[in-house]
Amino acid sequence: MHIVLGLIIAFIVVAIFARRNRNTRGCRWREDRAGNRGSLRKYKCAACGAEAFTSQKGPPQTCKSHLPKS
Ligand SMILES: [Zn+2]
């Protein structure tokens, strides 16, 4: 029974982490025009303070909060 319990806990933990990595709803990207580098537009997350550059239209698709801060 302990193996079953362990598998259930492991599944829940994996599900939480997978969801957290994909979930960007917590991020509120704000364009930081002063930090633009050429064609790269700088965005800053108002929710977690993460900074990201993107050459695409619109804000980044992923949250960078898990990356180490420079
Ligand atoms: Zn964020």
Side-chain angles (χ1 to χ4, degrees):
M1 287 307 282
H2 287 286
I3 294 169
V4 174
L5 199 66
L7 281 173
I8 291 170
I9 292 169
F11 177 79
I12 292 168
V13 169
V14 168
I16 290 169
F17 272 93
R19 203 173 170 184
R20 188 174 290 173
N21 287 342
R22 253 184 288 149
N23 188 7
T24 58
R25 277 178 292 181
C27 276
R28 292 197 297 274
W29 294 106
R30 299 269 188 275
E31 196 172 359
D32 185 2
R33 289 168 193 271
N36 285 3
R37 289 178 190 170
S39 61
L40 292 174
R41 286 189 297 278
K42 186 181 178 183
Y43 280 87
K44 191 168 166 59
C45 178
C48 66
E51 293 178 349
F53 290 91
T54 177
S55 57
Q56 297 172 329
K57 209 172 184 181
Q61 297 297 305
T62 56
C63 185
K64 315 286 186 195
S65 62
H66 61 282
L67 296 173
K69 281 172 182 162
S70 56

